[in-house]
Amino acid sequence: MDIIYKALVIFATIDLAIFAIEEGRKIYRRYQAKKALEAFAAWAKKCLEERAQAQREDKKKEG
């Protein structure tokens, strides 16, 4: 009976370790996705600002 209990404890420990690794990977993927989204948003904002600046310059040249 003692051997069965120890085997179950070992399997539970292994299962818990696997679960922790999988959750860690999920968290890391969310973190990477957030970083990528923030980088894209910064790039898009920069492009919009450059486009607005170019339009202002064009209007000054026309006016």
Side-chain angles (χ1 to χ4, degrees):
M1 193 67 164
D2 190 44
I3 294 173
I4 294 172
Y5 175 75
K6 288 181 181 179
L8 287 175
V9 169
I10 290 172
F11 287 131
T13 304
I14 291 170
D15 187 47
L16 184 61
I18 291 170
F19 176 75
I21 290 170
E22 289 174 353
E23 289 299 311
R25 287 181 180 168
K26 283 182 191 176
I27 292 168
Y28 182 71
R29 277 186 293 226
R30 276 190 239 132
Y31 172 73
Q32 289 295 79
K34 183 180 177 185
K35 281 179 51 180
L37 181 62
E38 289 172 351
F40 175 76
W43 172 80
K45 182 179 178 182
K46 180 182 172 188
C47 287
L48 288 174
E49 289 172 352
E50 289 174 355
R51 186 174 179 187
Q53 181 68 26
Q55 287 177 350
R56 284 191 293 267
E57 290 175 1
D58 289 343
K59 285 183 180 180
K60 285 181 182 178
K61 289 179 184 177
E62 291 175 359

